[in-house]
């Protein structure tokens, strides 16, 4: 048999502890759990950055997110990716992605693909007008505005006003929520899989690379009705789902009060995962039917996790690099290779591309920055080095370089047991012992575990040195020029892209 085909599935916002093969108690991934019996399951797979725009340079191009400098988002023109390496090796290549602008052609993610559909023009809602149900200030009448301002002087009055206004908007002012489908902001996984199946029907016996990106667990959480039923949550109506999403967006409530509906918000999120699982089952059924599955690698992972008040936050802002954000599921199915249980060592997604390429028996024309761990994985080991995760604190909408991209770096170094988080802006450091404190509730006191701290600090220093050496001025210049051209050609509305 020749080189193996590769299917890469990435899911936005999928935490490692919400999949069955990662130990979750709810039935979010029955199909993937069955596939896990013949796959390598990584107990501690870590993204190289978060959120989306700091994670994908590693997932597709095996490059640390800030290696080109904090002002570059996305891939540089000509940067070698999994797609371009496999295309050079004679693969047919295609990508179908559920309308996340940060991994669109604008940011260079179409490179190396024969077919690239980011579905940004799919008939979904305009992100700027999506009915998130937020009781926005722009919707207030003049009277309401005066009342809102007047109540700010007294805390109980402000609280009462905010609560009444929110309930008024949800119960009376908004039009009736017809269906979950009408509220959804992104194409659901079945749409992506339908397109992928049509393309697969055309590849014949040529080796292929297929990348699918799903947004079903991304906020606002509007799963399909069928997925809610599969999860036993069919009683959550479209009205209730809209109410919960709007409630979850409120900025006037403390975590203590938000917690009231946390479980139901998670039920919506979980149903999104269940839908992805069901659609992957359909995809693999097609691969089997076309006779392609027996020579096909499947890598299933996520670009980052999601917070549900674990540390008081929601969604997935780039900030503290806590486990709920940086630890993702990773399942690697390689045909004709016996599964082994893997050690608890950290595995960085920066090593995923070279590992997959080696497992596929392809000799890439160019070297990647990450390293192939394929040999170790087949022996049941993962990696002997700590993984590095980094982001720019507070950069929640990087569409324009001047807005947020130049904030301070946050960097985490994590091995199987310890994790050091360094916030360069404040100079703060937190060291956690994940064996005794897996939820990162209390950092170790200053001065504790000095040899561990020294070792992790040394890794951080080596990482900074390495990315300085690897910095490719030509690529940086190409990326910057490409971005400037796009800014001039298609000005964007920054508010329409915040929060991915
Ligand atoms: Zn994302």
């Amino acid at each position: 048999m020749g080189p193996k085909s590769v299917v890469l599935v990435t899911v936005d916002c999928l935490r490692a502890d919400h999949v069955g093969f990662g130990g979750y108690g709810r039935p979010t991934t029955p199909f993937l759990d069955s596939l896990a019996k013949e796959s390598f399951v990584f107990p501690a797979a870590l993204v190289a950055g978060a959120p989306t725009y700091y994670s994908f340079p590693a997932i597709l191009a095996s490059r640390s997110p800030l290696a080109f400098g904090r002002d570059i988002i996305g891939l540089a023109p000509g940067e070698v990716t999994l797609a371009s390496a496999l295309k050079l090796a004679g693969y047919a290549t295609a990508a179908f992605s559920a309308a996340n602008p940060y991994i669109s052609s604008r940011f260079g993610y179409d490179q190396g693909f024969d077919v690239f559909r980011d579905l940004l023009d799919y008939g979904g809602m305009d992100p700027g007008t999506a009915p998130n149900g937020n009781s926005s200030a722009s919707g207030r009448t003049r009277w309401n505005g005066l009342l809102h301002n007047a109540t700010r002087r007294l805390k109980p009055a402000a609280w009462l006003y905010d609560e009444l206004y929110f309930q008024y908007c949800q119960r009376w002012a908004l039009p009736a929520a017809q269906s979950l489908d009408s509220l959804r902001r992104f194409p659901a996984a079945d749409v992506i899989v339908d397109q992928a199946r049509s393309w697969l029907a055309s590849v014949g016996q040529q080796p292929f690379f297929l990348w699918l990106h799903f947004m079903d667990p991304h906020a606002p959480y509007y799963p399909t009705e069928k997925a809610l039923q599969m999860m036993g949550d069919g009683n959550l109506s479209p009205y209730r789902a809209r109410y919960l999403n709007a409630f979850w967006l409120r900025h006037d409530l403390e975590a203590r009060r938000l917690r009231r509906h946390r479980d139901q918000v998670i039920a919506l999120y979980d149903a999104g995962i269940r839908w992805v699982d069901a659609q992957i089952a359909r995809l693999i059924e097609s691969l089997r039917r076309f006779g392609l599955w027996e020579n096909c690698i499947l890598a299933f992972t996520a670009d980052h996790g999601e917070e549900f008040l674990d540390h008081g936050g929601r969604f997935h802002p780039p900030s503290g690099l806590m486990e709920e954000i940086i630890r993702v599921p990773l399942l690697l199915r390689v045909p004709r290779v016996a599964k082994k249980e893997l050690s608890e060592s950290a595995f960085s997604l920066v090593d995923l591309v070279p590992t997959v390429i080696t497992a596929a028996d392809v000799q890439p024309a160019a070297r990647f920055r990450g390293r192939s761990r394929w040999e170790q994985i087949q022996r049941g080991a993962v990696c002997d080095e700590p993984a590095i995760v980094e982001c720019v604190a507070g950069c929640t909408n990087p569409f324009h370089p001047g807005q947020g991209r130049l904030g301070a770096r946050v960097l985490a170094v994590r091995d199987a047991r310890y994790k050091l988080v360094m916030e360069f802006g404040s100079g703060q450091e937190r060291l956690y012992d994940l064996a005794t404190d897996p939820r990162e509730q209390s950092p170790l006191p200053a001065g504790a575990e000095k040899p561990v701290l020294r070792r992790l600090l040394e890794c951080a220093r080596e990482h900074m040195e390495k990315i300085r050496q690897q910095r490719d001025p030509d690529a940086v210049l190409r990326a910057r020029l490409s971005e400037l051209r796009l800014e001039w050609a298609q000005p964007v509305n920054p508010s329409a892209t915040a929060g991915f």
Side-chain angles (χ1 to χ4, degrees):
M1 279 195 171
K4 299 177 186 79
S5 293
V6 177
V7 175
L8 170 66
V9 175
T10 50
V11 186
D12 223 286
C13 306
L14 178 54
R15 306 164 52 126
D17 57 359
H18 275 246
V19 294
F21 59 91
Y24 195 41
R26 304 195 71 222
T28 45
T29 53
F31 177 77
L32 288 165
D33 297 346
S34 67
L35 196 61
K37 292 183 187 131
E38 55 175 281
S39 309
F40 295 96
V41 174
F42 293 68
L46 301 175
V47 295
T52 316
Y53 33 91
Y54 293 130
S55 182
F56 269 102
I59 296 176
L60 278 201
S62 185
R63 193 237 307 152
S64 297
L66 307 183
F68 286 173
R70 286 169 296 169
D71 49 341
I72 303 295
I73 293 284
L75 303 179
E79 192 170 358
V80 183
T81 67
L82 180 55
S84 62
L86 292 178
K87 188 178 165 67
L88 257 181
Y91 282 52
T93 54
F96 302 93
S97 169
N100 185 327
Y102 290 124
I103 46 175
S104 63
S105 51
R106 181 187 172 98
F107 290 99
Y109 284 94
D110 56 340
Q111 296 177 73
F113 286 106
D114 303 325
V115 173
F116 184 85
R117 294 199 196 127
D118 53 30
L119 276 78
L120 287 171
D121 56 354
Y122 182 75
M125 250 149 232
D126 170 2
T129 58
N132 55 27
N134 197 8
S135 47
S136 67
S138 58
R140 294 180 207 276
T141 61
R142 189 168 158 267
W143 257 114
N144 250 327
L146 288 173
L147 200 56
H148 170 267
N149 294 340
T151 55
R152 296 305 101 178
R153 288 181 211 132
L154 203 60
K155 212 173 167 190
W159 179 84
L160 186 65
Y161 171 85
D162 288 342
E163 187 61 31
L164 288 174
Y165 190 70
F166 175 77
Q167 298 296 342
Y168 162 76
C169 287
Q170 292 306 309
R171 290 171 197 273
W172 294 288
L174 283 170
Q178 300 295 341
S179 69
L180 287 163
D181 293 344
S182 69
L183 294 165
R184 192 167 312 117
R185 188 162 150 184
F186 309 103
D190 53 297
V191 177
I192 305 294
V193 166
D194 283 350
Q195 299 214 3
R197 294 209 306 183
S198 304
W199 180 77
L200 281 170
S202 72
V203 299
Q205 289 310 305
Q206 190 183 1
F208 66 88
F209 169 50
L210 173 65
W211 170 35
L212 303 183
H213 183 71
F214 297 116
M215 293 288 278
D216 301 63
H218 194 291
Y221 312 111
Y222 290 117
T224 62
E225 236 165 280
K226 184 125 188 256
L228 278 172
Q229 284 159 9
M230 288 160 129
M231 290 296 293
D233 289 315
N235 59 329
L236 285 170
S237 65
Y239 165 78
R240 184 66 183 160
R242 186 172 66 185
Y243 181 92
L244 288 167
N245 273 292
F247 175 83
W248 201 242
L249 267 177
R250 286 178 69 172
H251 294 291
D252 58 312
L253 297 183
E254 294 167 3
R256 184 176 51 84
R257 295 199 56 227
L258 285 166
R259 219 170 276 282
R260 186 157 42 124
H261 294 314
R262 177 177 176 269
D263 288 352
Q264 281 197 316
V265 172
I266 289 179
L268 295 173
Y269 169 79
D270 283 349
I273 304 170
R274 177 66 182 247
W275 195 241
V276 168
D277 182 81
Q279 300 312 313
I280 293 175
R282 279 181 66 225
L283 177 80
I284 289 173
E285 178 211 53
S286 297
L287 286 166
R288 284 205 169 99
R289 190 151 33 90
F290 297 142
L292 301 170
W293 180 239
E294 284 319 307
N295 199 35
C296 185
I297 291 178
L298 176 81
F300 172 89
T301 191
D303 62 341
H304 51 79
E306 187 81 335
E307 285 186 68
F308 290 101
L309 306 174
D310 308 68
H311 290 89
R314 289 162 281 169
F315 311 112
H316 45 270
S319 48
L321 299 178
M322 309 310 274
E323 291 290 281
E324 57 270 19
I325 292 293
I326 68 168
R327 201 161 71 81
V328 288
L330 175 58
L331 181 150
L332 183 63
R333 183 262 186 185
V334 182
R336 299 180 299 283
V337 176
K339 171 204 172 114
K340 280 240 168 59
E341 296 299 327
L342 297 180
S343 67
E344 292 281 333
S345 315
F347 177 87
S348 168
L349 291 191
V350 83
D351 293 331
L352 182 64
V353 167
T355 300
V356 164
I357 282 197
T358 318
D361 300 320
V362 172
Q363 295 294 328
R367 271 170 55 92
F368 288 98
R369 292 175 184 82
R371 285 172 39 195
S372 170
R373 309 286 177 186
W374 181 230
E375 214 172 291
Q376 291 157 272
I377 289 166
Q378 289 174 90
R379 293 198 310 269
V382 171
C383 177
D384 41 16
E385 295 160 27
I388 305 277
V389 193
E390 54 193 336
C391 68
V392 171
C395 178
T396 51
N397 186 356
F399 245 83
H400 292 296
Q403 294 172 2
R405 281 197 209 174
L406 299 181
R409 181 190 301 258
V410 183
L411 189 145
V413 193
R414 185 194 185 284
D415 66 13
R417 175 163 179 183
Y418 293 99
K419 176 174 171 186
L420 174 68
V421 181
M422 288 180 281
E423 299 189 2
F424 284 47
S426 63
Q428 275 189 2
E429 277 178 18
R430 299 187 303 276
L431 179 64
Y432 296 96
D433 180 350
L434 298 173
T436 57
D437 179 22
R439 292 176 183 274
E440 298 162 292
Q441 295 301 306
S442 36
L444 296 172
E449 300 289 359
K450 277 197 175 151
V452 173
L453 181 62
R454 198 174 310 125
R455 181 167 55 80
L456 297 181
L457 278 172
E458 183 59 24
C459 287
R461 192 195 63 74
E462 277 170 19
H463 168 76
M464 300 292 279
E465 183 62 34
K466 199 161 79 184
I467 61 171
R468 235 190 311 275
Q469 284 169 5
Q470 286 176 350
R471 192 161 184 171
D472 173 352
D474 282 350
V476 173
L477 197 59
R478 285 198 305 274
R480 191 71 196 102
L481 281 169
S482 148
E483 192 162 284
L484 279 173
R485 264 197 303 274
L486 283 164
E487 273 172 39
W488 293 330
Q490 343 165 328
V492 290
N493 170 9
S495 66
T497 51
F500 285 86

